[in-house]
Structure formats: C-alpha cells, structure tokens
Amino acid sequence: IDATGHVVSPGFIDTHFHANGSTWGSKAALRDGLTTAMDLELGCLNIEQWYAEREGKWAINYGAAVSHEFSRMKVLDGMVMEGPKDGNDFAALRNASYEENDIPDWAVTTMTVEQMNEMFTNMDKELQAGALGIASTTGYMANGVTTLELFNVQKVAANYGRLYASHVRLLGNSKPPTEATLGAFEQIANGIALNQPLILSHNNNYGWWEVEQHLQLLRDQGFNVWSEYYPYTCGSSTIGSEFIKPDNMGELGLTYENLIDPMSGEAMVRATYDRIVAEDRAYIIILCLPEREEWLPMWLKVPHMTVAGDGMPPVDVNSEFLEWDDPFEAYNGHPRTVGTHATTFRLARQEGIPLMQTIAQNSYWSAKHLGDAGIEAMQKRGRMQKGMVADITIFNPETITDNATYKVGENGNPSTGIPYVLVNGVIMVRDSKVQDGVYPGQPIRYPVEEAGKWEPLERESYLETLLTPVYPQDAYDHGVE
C-alpha cells in the first residue's frame, strides 16, 4: 500500500455499537475506519449463540456484554428469549414488553429478591460463557431499578473482574434534586467499592464536566474508569422511552420541537408525538440538545474520553433491516451510525486538536482500558507496534470527513478520506471500496469459565456479613476481648 501523505493508525475501536446485529452495520463501520465494534451499553443475550453466529462470517472484530435490559424483560415481562438477542432486536422487544399487561415492567417495575436472584443467576451464566461484562441502559429503567439491584448487577460482573458499562440514571437532568451527575456518581461509587472496570456511556450531557473530573482523579489513584462521547449535538432513542414522556420532558429543559422524525427529517410537535407513540412505542426518533454545541469542541480535548458512536440498528424508510448488499443511501436514521469516527477527525482538524489525541480517543484508550480489564485480545490492539494484531486504518489527515446528515436520503452517506482498512492483516477497504466475501473478524471475549460465581442474596446471610464485628489488631494487643 502506498501510504504517502496518509496516517497509518491503529484501527478504530467502538465500545458502543448497536449496529453489530447486521452485516450492513459492519460494512458502514469499515468505511468509517472501524476494525472492532462492541455493544457494551445495551448488550446482548444468549452470548454463546451470539458469538457462534458470527464465527468466520464477520468482516470486523466483534464483542458484547450481557444485557441488563433484556435480562429484566426475561424475568419481569415473562418474555421468551430464544436465540441471540442484540441491538437489532431491542425495538421489537420493547414493543412486545407491553403485550402482557400494557406495562413495560422491565422499565418501571421493582424486582423482588427472588426475581433479582433469578436474573443474577442468568447473568452469571452469560459471563461464564465469555461475555465482556454487564451492559445496562439504567436511564431507561430508572423508575424500576433500585440501588440494591444496581449494586448487585455490578457485583455479578465484578465477581469475574469484568467491566460494567451503563447509560446512567437521570441522564440529561439539569436541576436538583435529580441532577444527572447523581446517576453517574451512583455507579462510580459501586464500581469503586467493587474495584471494577467501569465505562460511563455517552457522557455528553449536562454535568459531564463534573463526571470527568471524578474519573480523572480516580484514574490518578489507579482505578480503571473512563467514559465515552459521540460527536453530535443530537442523539437518538425510541419514542416511547420514559425520559421523553410529557411529564419528564421538562426535567430535560426540552419541548417536542427538539425531536426530529427521521422519516421526514422534520421537527415534531406534541400532536405528532402523541400520534406516533400510540402507533409504535419503539419508533426511532432523533433528539437534539442545543447546549451540546458549546460542549462538543471540549470533548475533543478530554484525555481518556473515548469516541463511541452509539450506532443504531440499520433500517430503511420501511423499517426493514439492511444487509450487506443494500446501498448506503438506503439507511434511514441518525448519521452517527455511519460517520462518528470520521466526524471527530474533521472537528479536531477544525479545532487544531493534536492528531495523536484524536487517534487515542478513537483507538488506543479503548484498547488500553479494556486490556487492563483483562481482555487479552485488546492488549494486542490499539497500538502500531511489533507483536500487535494488524488492525490498521489508513487515512488522509487533511480530507478525512463524515458525509452523513440528518436529511432523508443522506443519513447513510459513508465517510471518505479513509482509503484503506485492514482487519487482522486482511485488507477490507481498498481504494475506499469495501471488499466482499472476506471475513477476518475475530471474537473479542473472555475464555469460557468452568463454574459460576454468583451466590444468591439471602437476608440472613447478607445481614450476618454486615453485622459480624471485626476488631483491629491493636485492640487485641490492648486486652480487648
């Protein structure tokens, strides 16, 4: 490869990629310079089957954590979860959760101890199978998840020394007594108590600066904690989500005109919201947050704040899933699915950010933190060194850019200025064309464990542990019995 005038970089790594359920998602990822895409926020279920489904059939490296959301659906909504479940399934599953009693119990119902034990046992089995940790969309189920449940969710993963990653409770709230920072601090406190690797997903909302200060101070003390952002002022979600219901929009300081219908590209009004939510609670919308315009240039400069796109499941205007041979222009949805990583390089170029900072945000820091969490495959990625895996992205620093927009028909325009991408030493993008029929992607996972590690919660043993006196040695030395 003639790389004259180009940067030869470690392949880009994304820890928050819901488009991994589709081959089209991996094709779009390659054009954006991605060599490894993992879902560590929503996560997956039936992990062993999920990995087996991709073996020898995937164009990029792939990995997943256990889904807290899907695990709650299985227990609280009585939903049958056969086969691998991932980002491609979440909208349909959220809709189906209303069928039993017209209530999404996974989002709003508090678990009994018996139900928690059932869920924790299920999660433990997924970790035995090699899952990367536990992923949680806590912010979507803030009214149902107790602090006791959340601590023990994190503990299930911590028993294996594995990470917890989460869309935190109260995300976006800007006023006391429910400031968004409280949701982050809750999970940070749990993680520190458990000495657990911790990712705070899309920390690009109100209070992000406080959260980053805490994370930096904790890293200085040796804790493996970090956060992600995506470089857009608009986000995306399902229209039936609790946090954008009429009673909650005020907490975010927003109106329904902040919502965009991706099918039309137009802003909504309350009547549009009411009509769509009555027809399809899992309808994907775009949510714009004006205050991010001031914050976005700052995120480009934050050390250890990694770029993670929150790429959505790729569908067309008929909500049909896209596959490998579908054209880029067929995609309908948030442009972050196809352009996140090139966007950061364009913005960094405009802001005069050092190139090594942007490369670290897109590759090295994710690899380092995940490697420090004991994921051997990530200890060999994110670096251009002898002995490392040859996941390589070659780009022109003067022209690398995103092309996808919020305009219908342009949502899926692929990134440009990235003429070559190698995955495990195999050229997957050549002269800006994705190569067909080649599948060098490798699983990112832990080895399978022989035995589980979860011990069920019991009131008596729980209290006995807390109430058993332990005297310091100097008390015995002074005759205390």
Side-chain angles (χ1 to χ4, degrees):
I1 294 173
D2 183 357
T4 304
H6 289 67
V7 173
V8 181
S9 161
F12 305 156
I13 297 166
D14 198 310
T15 53
H16 191 157
F17 194 75
H18 306 313
N20 232 355
S22 160
T23 54
W24 190 94
S26 60
K27 181 175 73 171
L30 282 165
R31 285 295 302 270
D32 200 33
L34 271 183
T35 55
T36 302
M38 296 166 279
D39 192 336
L40 304 183
E41 187 245 16
L42 171 66
C44 302
L45 214 60
N46 301 322
I47 287 286
E48 184 64 45
Q49 297 173 51
W50 188 86
Y51 277 109
E53 188 177 64
R54 284 155 182 73
E55 187 173 358
K57 303 174 184 176
W58 225 247
I60 58 177
N61 304 313
Y62 50 93
V66 184
S67 175
H68 185 192
E69 178 176 318
F70 292 168
S71 296
R72 286 193 116 237
M73 288 178 178
K74 185 174 181 179
V75 173
L76 290 174
D77 294 290
M79 296 173 65
V80 178
M81 296 285 193
E82 295 180 349
K85 303 298 180 188
D86 58 23
N88 266 18
D89 303 292
F90 90 103
L93 290 172
R94 286 186 180 182
N95 258 341
S97 70
Y98 287 84
E99 293 177 359
E100 181 187 17
N101 55 6
D102 203 36
I103 297 173
D105 286 302
W106 67 272
V108 300
T109 299
T110 299
M111 281 186 154
T112 65
V113 171
E114 291 73 22
Q115 289 170 329
M116 280 193 278
N117 278 327
E118 180 183 352
M119 182 179 72
F120 298 150
T121 300
N122 293 340
M123 288 177 159
D124 189 77
K125 291 177 181 177
E126 300 274 31
L127 291 163
Q128 269 187 264
L132 295 176
I134 291 178
S136 179
T137 50
T138 315
Y140 288 89
M141 41 198 185
N143 293 337
V145 175
T146 62
T147 55
L148 178 65
E149 177 186 339
L150 190 61
F151 176 75
N152 282 283
V153 166
Q154 293 187 231
K155 185 178 181 182
V156 174
N159 286 341
Y160 291 82
R162 298 184 196 174
L163 65 83
Y164 172 78
S166 177
H167 172 138
V168 302
R169 199 194 304 267
L170 308 176
L171 189 71
N173 291 9
S174 59
K175 299 176 183 178
T178 57
E179 284 182 278
T181 47
L182 294 174
F185 297 156
E186 172 190 21
Q187 298 181 16
I188 290 173
N190 290 344
I192 298 310
L194 296 164
N195 194 23
Q196 176 178 54
L198 179 72
I199 309 176
L200 298 182
S201 303
H202 42 51
N203 185 37
N204 46 359
N205 290 277
Y206 174 84
W208 65 268
W209 51 90
E210 284 189 68
V211 175
E212 289 303 319
Q213 183 181 24
H214 280 68
L215 295 177
Q216 287 181 9
L217 290 169
L218 288 167
R219 284 194 297 271
D220 289 344
Q221 297 174 57
F223 291 102
N224 189 10
V225 293
W226 73 106
S227 72
E228 313 164 339
Y229 77 96
Y230 54 79
Y232 294 90
T233 58
C234 297
S236 186
S237 187
T238 51
I239 198 167
S241 299
E242 293 295 313
F243 73 95
I244 55 175
K245 286 187 174 179
D247 292 343
N248 297 329
M249 282 289 275
E251 294 292 329
L252 300 175
L254 302 174
T255 70
Y256 286 103
E257 293 181 355
N258 292 101
L259 305 185
I260 295 175
D261 180 354
M263 296 299 182
S264 66
E266 298 177 353
M268 292 186 182
V269 295
R270 174 64 187 274
T272 310
Y273 166 84
D274 288 341
R275 175 181 57 80
I276 295 176
V277 80
E279 296 171 353
D280 182 2
R281 297 180 178 100
Y283 187 82
I284 302 293
I285 52 89
I286 292 170
L287 173 63
C288 294
L289 303 167
E291 60 267 35
R292 287 183 178 175
E293 294 176 8
E294 177 186 359
W295 301 335
L296 177 48
M298 302 179 193
W299 301 332
L300 301 167
K301 304 174 184 179
V302 181
H304 295 267
M305 198 177 189
T306 61
V307 177
D310 198 357
M312 301 299 283
V315 296
D316 61 17
V317 292
N318 299 310
S319 297
E320 298 293 331
F321 288 112
L322 301 177
E323 291 300 339
W324 185 271
D325 291 332
D326 289 308
F328 288 104
E329 59 269 23
Y331 170 67
N332 183 255
H334 198 298
R336 68 192 188 191
T337 300
V338 301
T340 287
H341 298 272
T343 297
T344 59
F345 282 92
R346 171 179 61 80
L347 293 173
R349 183 169 63 240
Q350 294 170 358
E351 296 290 329
I353 307 296
L355 190 59
M356 288 300 286
Q357 160 74 9
T358 310
I359 291 174
Q361 283 195 332
N362 280 274
S363 185
Y364 172 68
W365 279 321
S366 288
K368 172 175 172 48
H369 286 296
L370 293 171
D372 288 348
I375 303 172
E376 186 176 340
M378 300 312 294
Q379 295 167 1
K380 301 177 181 178
R381 290 178 164 84
R383 298 107 165 143
M384 291 298 296
Q385 293 175 309
K386 282 186 177 182
M388 299 294 107
V389 172
D391 287 346
I392 300 172
T393 296
I394 300 176
F395 63 90
N396 185 326
E398 301 301 323
T399 64
I400 181 174
T401 191
D402 56 310
N403 298 292
T405 74
Y406 296 110
K407 183 179 178 181
V408 176
E410 298 180 358
N411 299 162
N413 288 351
S415 300
T416 51
I418 309 173
Y420 290 92
V421 178
L422 286 73
V423 179
N424 292 293
V426 177
I427 298 176
M428 287 304 299
V429 176
R430 183 188 297 273
D431 295 324
S432 298
K433 179 177 173 55
V434 180
Q435 304 301 291
D436 293 329
V438 188
Y439 308 106
Q442 295 295 308
I444 309 298
R445 66 188 297 185
Y446 285 95
V448 174
E449 300 266 352
E450 292 185 3
K453 298 185 179 182
W454 175 251
E455 295 183 4
L457 292 176
E458 295 178 357
R459 177 180 171 85
E460 289 75 16
S461 60
Y462 184 84
L463 292 176
E464 182 180 345
T465 300
L466 292 178
L467 301 177
T468 301
V470 178
Y471 295 107
Q473 184 61 45
D474 61 349
Y476 290 105
D477 293 342
H478 288 83
V480 175
E481 295 183 358

